[in-house]
Amino acid sequence: METDVPDLERNHLHWFRKDLRLHDNPALLKCLENCENFYGVYILDTEAWLHLKTNSSSTIWRFILQCLNELNDKLRNFNSRLFVVQGSPLRVLPTLFEKWKVSRLTFNTACDLYSKGREDVVFSLASIANVEVITQTSHTLFEIERYIEGNGGNVPINLEEFQHVFSSLGQPLPPVECVEARHFANCATPNSDWLEANFGIPTLEDLEFVDMSNISTTSLMNGGEDEGLGHFKNFVEEITRYDEGKKSQSPRESSRLSPYFKFGCLSVRYVCHEVQRYISKRDVISGFLKGLETRDFFIMLASRIRNWDRINGNPVCLDIPWEENSEYLKQFRQGKTGFPWIDANIAKLKQEDKVLEANAVTKVQ
């Protein structure tokens, strides 16, 4: 198999995960330090994800692929590119270590238990391949361990307890500098027709998802770092105009930033520090900052409590004796309960993978 890799010792690989951006990406900056050959890699975990072939998962992957294409375009402006590989990271990374003679691996750590478990395996695989590993934190305002240490070594289970710990930590670290062309000045990204053909970004059709041509995309959110930054800018400007009396309608309660936080198009630390300048602009900003704090709370719980996303085996979840009625459940899933509010939300969820904005239901990770 052709590899097109020069025999150099400083071949660095950055594993893009929930950090699909150039701003406030500390692990990416570490990868570019003392680097001669740079490989930015995103792994499409086909073994874990691609069995979800429904309209909603197509909406999610449409968003992700847009993020990847934008990131690839930005890297190409630096004479680099994004390498996309399909498969399990535990199979893909050792292969790339060998083929590309990788000497350093960098990535921003995940928070959920499943991903943390895989990280431990990746550390072992890298050690076997004699690859240096550097990790950073960028998905939350503070490292999860700081919340636990601030609570005497115990996970703060209730929100009030967590808020007390959060207030004692001071300000989150400021975002790191944005990756720019100068960071690539002394390194290169090998490329060839073979690499272009084998590590390109797939389409939804390539991934064998359902055809989206019959689904209205007028209200779907587009993925990408610039899209996320644009939504944040519009949110702040809307609040500022209202505060200055230039807009009579109340600002929307939702910032619409959740998907950009989830996939790392937008840094929560960057947003937190930027929004501090507008802290006097009404209670909406204060509420927004509280929302970022609460986001960290739920991510922390998901990182420490097993089976957090389900009832069975979840030590902190109430065991509610739910009524089992298959006909009612079928009507609920189809959005045919006869209750307009419920049915409207189910219809929107099936089409766009989100519910009506007024209900303020978001995915926190």
Side-chain angles (χ1 to χ4, degrees), residues 30-290:
K30 286 292 183 182
C31 188
L32 292 169
E33 290 181 1
N34 301 314
C35 175
E36 292 189 35
N37 286 281
F38 168 78
Y39 297 89
V41 173
Y42 184 84
I43 302 175
L44 283 170
D45 193 349
T46 50
E47 296 182 14
W49 281 83
L50 297 189
H51 65 285
L52 300 174
K53 298 180 180 179
T54 64
N55 283 355
S56 60
S57 62
S58 293
T59 305
I60 294 173
W61 279 102
R62 169 186 176 272
F63 187 94
I64 293 175
L65 294 180
Q66 288 176 333
C67 296
L68 298 180
N69 277 293
E70 185 196 89
L71 179 59
N72 184 48
D73 290 342
K74 289 188 173 185
L75 291 174
R76 286 187 183 276
N77 289 335
F78 306 143
N79 295 318
S80 184
R81 58 160 295 178
L82 182 67
F83 296 88
V84 177
V85 192
Q86 296 186 35
S88 166
L90 304 185
R91 301 177 190 273
V92 168
L93 289 173
T95 301
L96 298 184
F97 292 161
E98 179 182 359
K99 297 296 182 183
W100 292 345
K101 301 178 182 178
V102 174
S103 58
R104 175 185 294 178
L105 168 69
T106 65
F107 59 87
N108 290 296
T109 57
C111 299
D112 62 284
L113 287 172
Y114 174 72
S115 297
K116 294 293 287 184
R118 291 201 304 182
E119 287 177 9
D120 293 338
V121 179
V122 168
F123 272 102
S124 298
L125 295 172
S127 177
I128 294 172
N130 198 29
V131 174
E132 175 192 22
V133 180
I134 299 177
T135 63
Q136 299 286 305
T137 299
S138 70
H139 194 56
T140 50
L141 292 172
F142 294 99
E143 292 186 18
I144 297 300
E145 287 297 333
R146 293 197 62 187
Y147 296 129
I148 298 172
E149 292 170 359
N151 196 46
N154 299 313
V155 177
I157 295 296
N158 64 70
L159 183 57
E160 183 178 358
E161 191 176 37
F162 176 84
Q163 289 173 336
H164 175 73
V165 174
F166 187 91
S167 63
S168 70
L169 297 179
Q171 287 293 319
L173 290 174
V176 299
E177 61 180 332
C178 183
V179 172
E180 300 173 343
R182 59 187 174 86
H183 294 106
F184 287 84
N186 298 317
C187 66
T189 297
N191 206 359
S192 69
D193 292 340
W194 182 84
L195 289 173
E196 287 284 355
N198 288 274
F199 294 92
I201 300 172
T203 64
L204 284 173
E205 290 74 18
D206 293 333
L207 300 178
E208 299 181 353
F209 282 106
V210 296
D211 182 15
M212 292 190 61
S213 60
N214 62 339
I215 299 177
S216 172
T217 60
T218 55
S219 60
L220 292 182
M221 301 183 75
N222 294 319
E225 179 179 17
D226 288 344
E227 285 283 337
L229 291 170
H231 276 282
F232 172 58
K233 179 181 178 181
N234 292 339
F235 173 64
V236 172
E237 288 181 349
E238 184 176 334
I239 293 171
T240 303
R241 288 197 303 270
Y242 179 76
D243 187 67
E244 295 173 349
K246 297 178 181 178
K247 187 175 181 181
S248 58
Q249 184 179 0
S250 298
R252 62 176 186 263
E253 294 182 1
S254 171
S255 66
R256 301 177 184 172
L257 299 181
S258 180
Y260 301 101
F261 286 141
K262 177 179 177 62
F263 295 107
C265 311
L266 196 57
S267 160
V268 67
R269 292 190 307 195
Y270 168 82
V271 167
C272 181
H273 278 79
E274 284 295 303
V275 85
Q276 297 286 347
R277 295 185 294 166
Y278 305 94
I279 195 67
S280 62
K281 302 292 185 180
R282 302 186 55 79
D283 293 337
V284 176
I285 289 294
S286 298
F288 175 72
L289 289 172
K290 279 294 182 183

Side-chain angles (χ1 to χ4, degrees), residues 321-341:
W322 297 101
E323 177 186 356
E324 295 186 11
N325 188 313
S326 58
E327 184 59 29
Y328 285 175
L329 181 59
K330 179 181 178 181
Q331 292 173 359
F332 176 80
R333 286 174 171 169
Q334 294 177 344
K336 297 179 179 180
T337 65
F339 293 91
W341 176 79

